Amino acid sequence: MIYLDLFLGFLRVGCFAFGGAYGAIPLIRDVVLSYGWLDDEALTHMIAVSESTPGPIMVNLATYVGNVQGGFLGALLATLAVVLPSFVVILLVMAVFGSLLKNPCTQAVLRGVKPCIIGIILATGCYMTAKSCLLSPGNAAPDPRALIVAALLAGALLGRRALVQKGLSPVRLILLSAFLGALVFR
């Protein structure tokens, strides 16, 4: 009976939790307390632990509660139940988008949106770079180290294709950027 309760309880969380993990916490709290699986204090501690461990909060909480109440099988069922609705919705969306992406009107819209998204990302990057490199708080002079790193990253961006064609993979380029940033800001 506990396995069915775990599955149905966390299936309800997976089906009706909207607004991300923090929006799901009241629903998780309601389900866990209504079944008596944890008391309010233990649930609060598990929310804190779930936030600090890798993975989504809902999955971490479902796995923990399932393990406490039903062992490995309980953890497996609770975790499966909490992710099942999202998985089914994504499969349905992909089935619809698969046929929708072949439509010429949809392709035209996507081609039109692409430059807009690139512009938004570029404008945000320029704003953040200017704010962190040039506009220092309190009328202080800009940090020359930030200007150096920004110049190195801009050079890497501009020469990216040439570097990649010469055998420098994007991962190595990211590692090089991290090394240069650590070297400059140590």
Side-chain angles (χ1 to χ4, degrees):
M1 187 64 180
I2 187 66
Y3 298 121
L4 182 62
D5 287 343
L6 283 168
F7 187 81
L8 293 177
F10 281 104
L11 185 65
R12 187 170 66 176
V13 170
C15 285
F16 300 110
F18 294 101
Y22 297 109
I25 289 175
L27 183 58
I28 294 170
R29 183 179 182 276
D30 181 50
V31 167
V32 168
L33 294 179
S34 69
Y35 281 102
W37 292 330
L38 296 175
D39 62 359
D40 204 17
E41 183 180 353
L43 179 63
T44 303
H45 290 295
M46 278 317 303
I47 290 171
V49 169
S50 295
E51 287 179 354
S52 62
T53 54
I57 292 173
M58 289 190 327
V59 173
N60 291 344
L61 281 170
T63 305
Y64 175 75
V65 172
N67 187 47
V68 167
Q69 295 300 313
F72 178 77
L73 184 58
L76 187 67
L77 286 172
T79 304
L80 177 67
V82 84
V83 299
L84 186 63
S86 298
F87 182 72
V88 169
V89 166
I90 288 175
L91 285 178
L92 292 174
V93 166
M94 288 309 298
V96 170
F97 274 141
S99 62
L100 192 62
L101 286 176
K102 295 176 185 172
N103 185 334
C105 293
T106 305
Q107 290 178 355
V109 168
L110 291 176
R111 280 193 306 272
V113 168
K114 190 176 183 180
C116 297
I117 300 297
I118 291 171
I120 290 170
I121 292 170
L122 185 61
T124 304
C126 290
Y127 172 76
M128 291 174 64
T129 301
K131 186 171 175 143
S132 65
C133 293
L134 303 176
L135 306 174
S136 301
N139 294 330
D143 187 359
R145 298 177 300 174
L147 292 172
I148 291 169
V149 170
L152 288 172
L153 291 176
L157 178 66
L158 294 174
R160 175 179 46 97
R161 285 195 176 140
L163 291 173
V164 169
Q165 287 175 352
K166 290 183 181 179
L168 184 62
S169 71
V171 173
R172 287 187 181 151
L173 190 59
I174 291 170
L175 291 174
L176 178 64
S177 298
F179 175 74
L180 290 174
L183 187 66
V184 170
F185 286 104
R186 61 180 163 112

